[in-house]
Amino acid sequence: METRKTQVAVPVLLAIMTLMVSRVVFAGKDSLHERHMAELQAVKASLVRRNLPGFVSPPPTPPQAVPGPRVYQVISYGADPTGKADSTNAILKAMEDAFDGPNHGVLMEGINDLGGARIDLQGGSYLISKPLRFPSAGAGNLLISGGTLRASDDFPVDKYLIELNDESSKLQYIFEYITLRDLLIDCNYRGGAIAVINSLRTSIDNCYITRFGDTNGILVQKGHETYIRNSFLGQHITAGGDKGERNFSGTAVNLVGNDNAITDTVVFSAAIGVMISGQANLLSGVHCYNKATGFGGTGIYLKLPGLTQNRIVNSYLDYTGIVAEDPVQLQISGTFFLGDAFILLKSINGVVRGVNIVDNMFSGSDNGVQIVQLDQTNKAFENVDQVVVDRNNVNGMATRSTVAKASVAGNGTSWTVDFNQVLLFPNLIKHVQYTLVARDGNAFPIHAVRNVSDNRVVVQTNAPVTAQVYVTVDQ
């Protein structure tokens, strides 16, 4: 209030002083008109000065307080970024505070939206002696990122460094939209790295997972839509040709659930690269050179006899192959198989249906290894339907297909075309098309397919003729 009075009083005082001066100046003059004009100019000047910015400005309105970002920095909780001291409890406390943070709504029923809260590892390397878990189920929309976790020498061998799990929860899904990003997880050959149990829309992005024990690097069990991308997994740190490759063990990724995806990910050492026992999963851009087939390794193992419903596309199987048990609805396409890597269809109950193995590349060492093989040790494949193995290009390996073309020339009454070197399934030809071209322009023989068995087609004529027979078959 005092400031405002000062602002008003100063211009008024200046105007009065100006009027007084003007009266003195014109006191000795006789012209009343000139005196009035001077007084008007003085008043005008005072009004102009009054409209100029005051030399005392009003104070600005204080800014309203804005809540800070929900970033929980683990070092402030006492975590040791050098990895010398155990940081487990400090990081657990940060996870607890994030879990108890402001609720921005509800995702799936019973899951609180934490508003994109972040647990920041601040680029440190932290020693972990027991699994990092949230206090209970019911958290969503949260990120853990930016550091290294290393298992201690006494870390439990049957646990995982990060566990999204709550055995006591009755919720349909335990967690939703949890992101694990930019992490290096060193399991110290003790347990596994990450377990995602009955969770929804989980992302594992740009992670390096290594030195897991004879267990899983990543376990996904139940739930839906866990996406693993841009990541690297290996039990041992190597770039191939490792002297200890025969002894690699464990499984890099174990998908025991539906609707998940692994994209642009490398598995560089493990007995099994990816194990799948759930439907509707997608693998794209996956490079497996984990353990060579010749040493007993498997790149991708589909353990879903009777209902597979998985897709493997645009991937790279490097000296290690694919095994599928009783596959039903399986797509393998656009994939490169190097170093005699092949696809094995393994019979459990003798069923193989709706399988497409098409448009792949196979490269081998000219040892006659078949690109697609059958394991009928348990039982022969008896229920075979809608299986297409075709349009694969092959170099240095033996082609196998469910569609084949061949021709034979000769003079006589019988022509036999043998497809055993090409067809995948033994003694199985479902469809035959043929053409007989007589070389003698005057000949017009009667001809017919007389026998189809043991993957051979026999065409006969009623009279001797010189002819070429073209046959197409599929299984």
Side-chain angles (χ1 to χ4, degrees):
M1 190 66 179
E2 292 298 325
T3 302
R4 179 62 181 166
K5 287 181 179 179
T6 303
Q7 288 180 293
V8 174
V10 169
V12 173
L13 180 60
L14 289 173
I16 293 171
M17 293 175 65
T18 303
L19 285 171
M20 292 174 65
V21 171
S22 65
R23 287 180 182 276
V24 172
V25 171
F26 290 101
K29 294 186 178 180
D30 296 329
S31 176
L32 180 61
H33 173 73
E34 290 181 359
R35 185 173 53 213
H36 286 170
M37 289 299 295
E39 290 175 354
L40 287 174
Q41 289 176 355
V43 172
K44 182 179 178 181
S46 70
L47 292 175
V48 171
R49 284 192 295 270
R50 185 180 301 175
N51 290 330
L52 292 174
F55 47 80
V56 180
S57 301
T61 304
Q64 298 297 317
V66 178
R70 300 299 176 185
V71 179
Y72 301 86
Q73 297 181 326
V74 297
I75 294 176
S76 66
Y77 286 84
D80 177 11
T82 69
K84 295 178 181 178
D86 191 332
S87 295
T88 307
N89 291 332
I91 297 177
L92 285 172
K93 178 58 177 171
M95 295 175 68
E96 180 182 345
D97 284 357
F99 182 86
D100 293 334
N103 180 11
H104 296 263
V106 177
L107 297 170
M108 288 293 290
E109 183 179 357
I111 298 179
N112 293 329
D113 179 358
L114 299 178
R118 291 183 288 145
I119 298 173
D120 186 359
L121 299 184
Q122 300 179 264
S125 179
Y126 304 97
L127 189 65
I128 305 299
S129 58
K130 62 182 178 182
L132 300 175
R133 303 176 62 158
F134 289 102
S136 64
N141 193 6
L142 179 139
L143 167 69
I144 302 175
S145 68
T148 299
L149 303 174
R150 301 186 187 277
S152 64
D153 291 337
D154 58 349
F155 189 90
V157 296
D158 59 342
K159 299 295 183 180
Y160 295 81
L161 273 79
I162 298 177
E163 293 186 354
L164 300 182
N165 192 16
D166 183 359
E167 296 85 349
S168 63
S169 175
K170 303 300 182 184
L171 294 175
Q172 180 184 5
Y173 298 104
I174 299 175
F175 300 100
E176 182 181 2
Y177 191 34
I178 302 294
T179 300
L180 308 175
R181 183 191 301 154
D182 303 335
L183 301 174
L184 188 152
I185 304 180
D186 179 354
C187 304
N188 194 24
Y189 302 116
R190 300 292 296 172
I194 300 171
V196 180
I197 310 299
N198 197 26
S199 297
L200 188 63
R201 293 181 268 274
T202 304
S203 292
I204 300 172
D205 188 7
N206 192 36
C207 291
Y208 189 120
I209 293 170
T210 188
R211 301 213 303 166
F212 46 88
D214 190 10
T215 180
N216 309 296
I218 298 175
L219 170 64
V220 179
Q221 188 171 1
K222 297 195 270 188
H224 280 269
E225 301 150 23
T226 293
Y227 275 52
I228 303 168
R229 53 183 175 259
N230 305 322
S231 293
F232 305 89
L233 299 98
Q235 186 182 56
H236 303 273
I237 298 178
T238 178
D242 194 284
K243 294 181 179 179
E245 184 173 344
R246 293 178 181 271
N247 300 317
F248 290 173
S249 63
T251 300
V253 181
N254 192 353
L255 299 181
V256 192
N258 302 339
D259 305 345
N260 306 296
I262 306 175
T263 58
D264 302 326
T265 290
V266 176
V267 179
F268 55 85
S269 62
I272 298 174
V274 181
M275 173 74 79
I276 303 176
S277 50
Q279 287 78 32
N281 296 294
L282 170 65
L283 275 63
S284 175
V286 176
H287 179 192
C288 293
Y289 62 103
N290 46 290
K291 184 177 184 177
T293 299
F295 295 154
T298 303
I300 301 169
Y301 199 116
L302 297 147
K303 199 174 183 64
L304 304 106
L307 188 60
T308 311
Q309 294 182 333
N310 275 266
R311 294 158 293 160
I312 302 170
V313 299
N314 301 328
S315 294
Y316 179 13
L317 278 299
D318 191 348
Y319 282 80
T320 186
I322 297 174
V323 177
E325 296 184 355
D326 273 3
V328 175
Q329 292 193 305
L330 171 64
Q331 174 87 15
I332 303 174
S333 62
T335 293
F336 179 38
F337 295 80
L338 178 67
D340 289 323
F342 59 87
I343 299 168
L344 178 67
L345 307 181
K346 184 175 182 178
S347 174
I348 304 299
N349 297 305
V351 179
V352 53
R353 294 199 310 270
V355 174
N356 294 326
I357 302 173
V358 295
D359 301 322
N360 301 289
M361 295 191 300
F362 293 84
S363 179
S365 53
D366 291 314
N367 289 323
V369 177
Q370 299 173 7
I371 64 170
V372 182
Q373 302 180 21
L374 305 178
D375 181 350
Q376 303 184 89
T377 305
N378 294 321
K379 187 178 182 179
F381 281 113
E382 299 171 348
N383 188 346
V384 179
D385 187 34
Q386 299 181 73
V387 178
V388 179
V389 180
D390 194 21
R391 303 196 311 270
N392 299 296
N393 70 70
V394 181
N395 178 38
M397 298 178 71
T399 300
R400 280 293 180 267
S401 180
T402 57
V403 179
K405 298 178 181 179
S407 66
V408 63
N411 181 283
T413 59
S414 181
W415 289 260
T416 299
V417 182
D418 189 344
F419 291 97
N420 278 295
Q421 296 301 310
V422 179
L423 290 179
L424 176 61
F425 296 98
N427 193 26
L428 179 66
I429 293 178
K430 292 186 176 182
H431 302 281
V432 177
Q433 289 181 315
Y434 82 96
T435 300
L436 186 146
V437 179
R439 300 305 182 189
D440 184 349
N442 296 321
F444 204 106
I446 299 172
H447 53 84
V449 173
R450 300 289 289 171
N451 183 270
V452 178
S453 62
D454 296 324
N455 285 345
R456 296 182 178 89
V457 177
V458 178
V459 177
Q460 293 182 342
T461 58
N462 64 332
V465 64
T466 299
Q468 183 98 16
V469 176
Y470 301 88
V471 183
T472 300
V473 299
D474 75 59
Q475 299 186 304

